Amino acid sequence: EICFDGSPNKEQGIIWSFRFKESAGRDWTSWDPWWNRREARKLVFLRDGTIMQVYPKGVEGSQTYQIGNTTLYEVFSERTLQQDGNYVPAPRIELKWRFVKR
């Protein structure tokens, strides 16, 4: 089962580990948990084509979703940016997936 299904009594599906390759560049790898000696980012693929994050948790103020017993966060929502002297959640980066036929 590629897609994560968090319906009651059926929470299953693959939780994928994700990390940037070094070739992505320092800007991306500098805030990637894996490159900072922490557990790799954990992502799930939902049937509607959405990709959501299980780990790390999003910062306060970021959007969360509850599927079964699992809390999901928007991808890369653990980042903050400084804006007008305050730290705010980084702009949303939407990731989608789809099957491709050849």
Side-chain angles (χ1 to χ4, degrees):
E1 184 75 28
I2 291 174
C3 296
F4 183 80
D5 183 357
S7 58
N9 302 319
K10 193 182 174 190
E11 194 167 313
Q12 62 184 4
I14 297 172
I15 297 178
W16 302 85
S17 292
F18 172 88
R19 69 171 181 85
F20 284 105
K21 291 187 173 194
E22 188 174 15
S23 61
R26 188 172 171 189
D27 187 47
W28 289 104
T29 59
S30 67
W31 55 274
D32 186 325
W34 189 87
W35 285 98
N36 288 288
R37 302 181 197 279
R38 297 193 317 263
E39 185 177 355
R41 183 179 313 280
K42 305 293 184 192
L43 304 177
V44 294
F45 296 168
L46 303 181
R47 293 189 185 283
D48 67 359
T50 304
I51 300 173
M52 300 295 291
Q53 183 168 294
V54 177
Y55 170 84
K57 293 181 179 181
V59 296
E60 185 176 328
S62 62
Q63 185 70 41
T64 62
Y65 304 87
Q66 193 70 34
I67 296 185
N69 295 324
T70 305
T71 303
L72 301 176
Y73 306 91
E74 293 195 352
V75 179
F76 310 125
S77 62
E78 76 280 2
R79 290 187 67 197
T80 58
L81 300 174
Q82 192 168 8
Q83 182 178 358
D84 299 325
N86 298 311
Y87 286 96
V88 297
R92 182 173 189 261
I93 299 174
E94 183 178 6
L95 295 179
K96 293 282 192 174
W97 73 273
R98 63 188 169 93
F99 286 110
V100 177
K101 291 184 179 181
R102 290 184 183 228

